Amino acid sequence: MLLDWIAASLIAIGAVFFVAGTVGLLRFPDIYCRLHALTKADGLGLALVAFGVALLADSAGEVFRILLIWFFVALASATCGHLIARYARQSGEGDAHD
Amino acid sequence: MNNLMSLDPMTLALFLPLFGAMAAFIAPRAASVIGLATVLANLGAVGWLAFEIRAAAELITPLGGWAPPLGIALRADGLSVAMLALTGAVGLLVSFSALDALRDARQRQYFWPLWLLLLTGLNGVYLGTDIFNLYVMIEVIALAAVGLTVLSGTREAVRAGLEYMYASILGALLFLMGVGFVYLQLGRLDFAGLIAATPSAALSAALALMVVGLLLKTALFPLHFWLPAAHANATAPASALLSGLVVKAALYIFLRLSTYMPLPDEILVTLLGALGAGALLWGSVQALRAERLKLLVAWSTVAQIGLIFIAFARAGQVGLVESWKAAALLILAHGIAKSAMFLAAGRIKDEVGHDIIRDLDRSAIRPTLAQFTFALAAISLIGLPPSLGFIGKWSLMEGALQAGYWHWVVATMVGTLLSVAYFSRVFAGFLRFDRMQGALAEHKGWALADLAPLTLALAAISLGLMAAPILSFIELGYPFGAMP
Amino acid sequence: MTPDLIYGLTGIAVFAIGLVGALCAQDRLRRVLALKLCSVGAGFILVVAAWREPPASPDPVPHALVITGIVVMVSATAVALALIRRLQTLEAEADE
Amino acid sequence: MSDVPLLPLFILMTSLLASPVLFALPESAARLRTAINLGMAMLKLALVAWLGWKVGQGVVYDLRFTMLPGLEFKLQADPLAMLFISLSAVLWLITTIYSIGYLEHGPHRARFFGFFSLCVAATVGIAMAGNLFTFLIFYELLTLATYPLVIHRGTAEALRAGRIYLIYTLAGGLVLLIGTLGLWVLAGTTDFTPGGVLEDVVTEHRLAAQILFVVLVGALGVKAALFPFHAWLPIAMVAPAPVSALLHAVAVVKAGAFGIMRVVYEVFGIETAQALGMTAPLAALAGITIIYGSLKAITQDDIKKRLAYSTVSQVSYITLGVALASPIAAVGALAHLIHQGLMKITMFMAAGNLAEGLGVKKVSQMDGVGREMPGTMLAFSAAALAMIGLPPLAGFVSKWYLAQGGLDAGAGWVIALLLGSSLLNAIYFLPMLHRAWFRDRADTASGTSYRQIGWMLAAPPITTALMVLAVGGFANAPFSPLEWTRFVVAIEYQE
Amino acid sequence: MTDPLILFDLLLGVSVVALAVAVMGARDLFAAIVLFVIFGLLSALAWARLSAPDVALAEAAIGTGVTGALLLKTLHHLRYVTGQLDQFAAPGMTPAEPVPMGVIAANAAFCGLITLGLAVAYLGAPQGGPGFDALVAEAMPQSGVEHPVTAVLLNFRAYDTLMEVVVLLAAVIAVWQIERGLSDAPSPDLGQVWQGFARLALPAIVVVGTYLLWKGSEAPGGAFQGGAVLAAVGLLLLLSRAYVPRPAHRGAARLLFVLGTGAFAAVALLVTGGGRVAFQYPPDQAKTLILLIEGLVTISIAVTLAALFHGREPVALPSRRDHHDT
Amino acid sequence: MNPFLSVILVILLTSVLAGLFRVLRGPAPAGRMLAAQLFGTAAVAMLLILSRLMQMPALLDVAVVFALLSAVTLVAFVVLSARRIG
Amino acid sequence: MPTRSRDTSADTAPARAPALPASLPEVPRPQPGRTRRFFATLLTLAVIWGLLTEFRLDALVFGLPAVLAGAGLVFVLPPGRGWRISPRAALVFVLWFGVQSVRGAVDVAARAFSPRMGLRPGFRRYPLSLPEGAARVMFLNTITLLPGTLSAELEEGAVVVHMLDTRADLEADLGQLEARIAALFALPRK
């Protein structure tokens, strides 16, 4: 029961971070700042959701898969953030404010 | 351990071309040999099947041992064997002519695997009993056919191939959506389930979707937009396969479907006929205006498909029990004659160096036999006696008269006259020599490459004499052994 | 109101949008997208046909069919896109 | 049954099989081609003679092949067929000889003789067709085989003529197809049966039967050049002379007339046709065509065109004789089928010789040609006089019977018509004879002096002219066309 | 109170439709492609919601992997050929003139009409209606596998599946045939960060793809899902030019394309005999045979999908590249 | 628990849909790819929750695939677009 | 697969424009550690496989080839350097990293929600001191997860960092990170 509560809170906080990421995506002025929002806020949001769900998991296998998911999402998000930023700098797209 | 004799010819007709295609793809240098051997073997399998069908009227193989509706069965009856035989025989002759027509090594290398895959798909359609399976099959056909369309690699061919691709995929997807609705309503996909079904809104929607999809694939006016360019710009053997065989697959499915799921309303049947009449007129008019020989031939396909749909429509909804025979005869006749015609047109283009109708004349005497072949094929397509086309047209008009549908008779007549008009443009070109420059060379017009199209054209004419046995053959086991 | 109803209607709408797009779109690439929408729409209908109220497990056959449909569609897309690329190249060469 | 039941098929095959062989021969193999042509023509003549003998003995030949359930391909050799076959067999031989002479140095001989053979095969098929369906098959084949002959010269004019010809005749063929279908639907058979097959039907479906009559006769009327479907015939004159000869005397026009005969006698039956009230309008139409053709002929300067309009006029005698519904008129009609063929072929071959030998193509150029080419012109004159109806020549015999038939049928106007027609014939033929024999050859600047023509050109018209004299003079001899005609009429009128 | 999950369904349904509209309506082609990829993600979610994890897996693997990359590649090619690369926007090959409202309205009306018609038909159909549930359940014990979808794919309707692989084969042959003569534009180095990611992720993807394949016999997963995931490895290798196809690889590639189809067809044919028909695996060997087929088919699918992305058959590269490679 | 998770799902989906705005706005392609990335991450989160909610561990595998393959489209984008820079 | 060691930046240099400044010029050199890394990867993958399949033996039919193939990618991908991790440092690092990434997320979330956002974005260069290879990649990736920083590009011996607020003390933050990563990889600190 306690576990459920902890999981629920983790998931809820995770959702808040997702919302924050979206808000950042919409509000921040340029692509680099938005990248900050995405990589950090969404990354943490997913991590919280993942841990929350992992707490509720039925088997160790599931937990392992959830961890795997988290690990790769985090890795991919950092890598992709870097790639996009690099691309934006090289293409000059990052200079375009909108 | 494996007793090969327990193989049945239907399975063989499916797997032979498939293995052939794979072998031809892996070994491009030997592709021609593999291809020819496969096509011959396929014809053998079809012959065997025909032999069995004559005795048994229908054969069913539940693949995997799972009976429908869970599994998929292969089923052959007279009609499907006739279509298989058409495919096999026309395919063999086109294959022969491909040996000569495809001079580019690259074209040869890709022609064979694509054509054999196409053959697999066609055989699969004719043996299929499951509508989802038919969907997959028409996709196999579509991809292989598009590959063949763009074999020449010219800009026009690729552009036409792309249009063809769009139409093919869209047609297939409409069909798939229809399959979805059938499943929603019936929870099964085999033909037997369709026959047993009681009409409902979902089934009507399914039928509408599938029919529109098939009409698109078979290029019935006004959904024909993709056909002329695709068929006119492909290399000759590919054109022959596309016009002679590929279009027939969708027609065949339509024929099967419309007997298993009768169109719910007479008006719809009439509408189909009206579209057919429109195709007949529009295709003919375009053929009259076409500047290039192959384009003319392609437009004539549009017109002829219209005729086949008039045949579908001519006896009305109930009368389909009878009128499918006229349609089937016309399908067979068109398949043979049109492939002969495309091959001949290809030969003429090869020898003369162009296929502008206005500039055709006797100055190029070499493709005499090809021109003769073209004329013979045209006779069958116009529907002059005793060709198979004539027999088909005869049974169409006979049925229409009996049902009192004068309008279909008139439409057919107008179409026939127009076909005379547009084909005579070509004949006149073949025979004129007033603008000839230089002396006529002694003709060497008997190239081996003309043999295949000539055989086809002669078959198109002379099979008319065999119409009675053909008719009694295609009635074998139709459908599921009893008339609905 | 059940999921199958919602997604069934969704599928139909997607299919219709794709259909209209395939018929009306001018751009070659977009027509491919439209066709893909159609295929997804048809997939929805099949998956919905398989759906059963939760304790019951869904009908596996339509799932298999949709998977087949997806693979078929990706093949068709690849060919269509290859054609588009080739055609554009040929047209560009002709323009030069 | 006879000892050789397939005899009709053999006759058909002589020319049908000759055709592909002729196509396949190289252009240069002139001798071999000539040998095949003549050999086959003679073989056929012999077979026809044999067949005629057998048929005269009352042997019935009946070959059937089922094409569709209930629908048969049927060949039969009845006396009516024999009449037409004999004509075509005899004239094929003669025309072949003439063609060889005419064309042996021109281009595309293989093609020409191939289609020529095919054309004759079609004619034989038309003659022996045992039902309307089979008739239709050969009728269409005839169209296709003659088309390349018409446009043989390959000029723009020839192509135009060919197109008009093709459209007329194929449209006619199509209407015939409809008619055949209609008959099939109405009567359940398309067999040619003396007395007709529609007797039981007409009471119930009178209107349908009337429409059917119009459709069938109209369709056949295209080839028979019945007014107003005659326009193609004068245009088709661009064809080489032997082709014109064949078209007018044996094949196309005759096929139409023969078809009308079959339809009136053996599909409807003369009594049924009469009962339907269709014969009188047909007779009237024939009468109009006779006068119209003659009037048009007068105004033509081109020899072949004048002859063509003359054909339009003369062929309708046959239709007239059929439509009068009198056995005596029928004898005239059938006899005219033969007689007109002989007369017209003579004239066309003669005209061809004039063009070949002297370059004369117009009536106005004919001054004094009789002295340059006496043989040819004698033949021409004999045929022309026969055509006018000078007794006892061939034309007179048929006109005589037609007039008698007219009286017999109570149609007195026929006498006037025939007299008027003969007068018109005289008006357009006699000036030609006058110019040829009684005027001096003009010294034309064009300098068309006489060029020697070979015997292959010279002999055929003379031969046929002799036949014209013979069939008139010995009209009552056994096995003369007239006698045979009486035999046929007895069958058709079921006497 | 309604289940909030229905709210989620509704929202998802609406957004799927909205995305479809956006894909068609987006002025910019690049946007349309991105939207389409997102559309794919959302449909996968919807399928997950409809208890169709197999389908969701397939859509996820193929939709997010191959399709997006393929579309982007084509768009890039078009822009490259038409010299539009220096613009950010990708208005498409036809100039993007503003579409008249009338046309939009007509399209929308047409679209609405079709939807309405089909919806009426759909609502008339039995909901959660008849199906194969019972038949499948009955036949499962003889199928050789525990997961029904896999049983359907590889046993009950194996014929369809074989033909589906044939479609793939046809596609790759057609694509090799269609594309020719073009050499790839040079591609950039993705940098160390990417390399680090690739070293970790690519082997993991291989393992996960195979895991999906293995799992297919008893749970959602299978050859197609596995193959599509493995194909992503190929795609990434090709994109980062860690693997560059050479003419010498053609033969091997052909063999790999054919491998799955060939093995599948051969097994289907070889099991006949003794009264058995094609595809009728002997029950005691069914599992082995299915696993064999699945394994080989997976390899073929992976290689074929990667080849479909790559496009033309391997050709000799311009000498400049060879120089760099040495 | 379940209604709670459903609400979370709705929130996540709504948030993701709001991100769509970015894609539509453009005009630069990188911004659009960004939104696609957001979608990928959020979809993984939603799948995790759904797998819990529907008691369907198989959905975790779907999430694994999403997580692993989310980079593919982006890499394709970066590689292909970068060609123009070079 | 030929063990061909390539200079990746030179390899893909386009003709039309200067090469992308991607990494420090790297001299191709033989990689004696490859076989070792192959086995290391093999082992890791085997563990992953085992965990995924719950160590079922029958899964090895597919597992063995999969793990071998996955590990085989070592020979296909551009070679990296060998590295090792100090286990004790790793634990510390994970904890630290967790806290930092939460901080980073909270920071960015707060900015997103705050009406004024308080952004002053800009780029800063930070000279790299970590050697090439895993450590440097780790460093670059981790930068992105730290509060307010994002690794944007590598330039000659330096990383270009994007900052939400250029007023922050970049050197201090990254210096600390560098130190921790050096410890993690058991590198001698310069």
Side-chain angles (χ1 to χ4, degrees), chain E residues 1 17 26 28 30 39 46 56 75 103 119 149 178 209 215 218 231 234 284 286 314 319 325:
Chain E
M1 188 194 137
V17 175
D28 185 281
F30 181 80
F39 170 84
L75 177 65
V103 174
V149 176
I178 290 162
K215 214 179 168 202
E218 53 195 36
D284 49 336
S319 54
D325 279 334

Side-chain angles (χ1 to χ4, degrees), chain B residues 64-76:
Chain B
W66 306 104
L70 178 62
I72 303 170
L74 298 179
R75 177 182 176 277

Side-chain angles (χ1 to χ4, degrees), chain F residues 57-68:
Chain F
L59 294 185
L60 289 180
D61 293 328
V62 183
V64 171
V65 170
F66 269 25
L68 283 172

Side-chain angles (χ1 to χ4, degrees), chain D residues 8-9 11-12 51 74-77 81 85 124-130:
Chain D
L9 199 61
I11 294 177
L12 190 63
L51 182 72
K74 182 178 169 194
L75 289 180
Q76 67 180 22
I85 301 173
V124 171
I126 284 175
M128 294 197 297

Side-chain angles (χ1 to χ4, degrees), chain E residues 79-169:
Chain E
R79 282 149 54 86
Y80 180 83
V81 167
T82 50
Q84 292 179 348
L85 275 187
D86 38 358
Q87 306 155 17
F88 287 134
M93 292 313 113
T94 45
E97 287 167 18
V99 186
M101 273 317 284
V103 174
I104 294 179
N107 278 0
F110 182 36
C111 189
L113 217 63
I114 297 169
T115 314
L116 199 69
L118 293 182
V120 168
Y122 170 69
L123 294 175
Q127 308 291 312
F132 286 117
D133 318 52
L135 277 173
V136 172
E138 191 188 323
M140 277 309 291
Q142 289 106 56
S143 69
V145 288
E146 282 96 67
H147 183 50
V149 176
T150 307
V152 172
L153 277 172
L154 283 145
N155 199 336
F156 308 146
R157 292 180 72 95
Y159 174 40
D160 269 354
T161 311
L162 172 63
M163 285 304 150
E164 163 200 337
V165 194
V166 171
V167 171
L168 260 179
L169 180 62

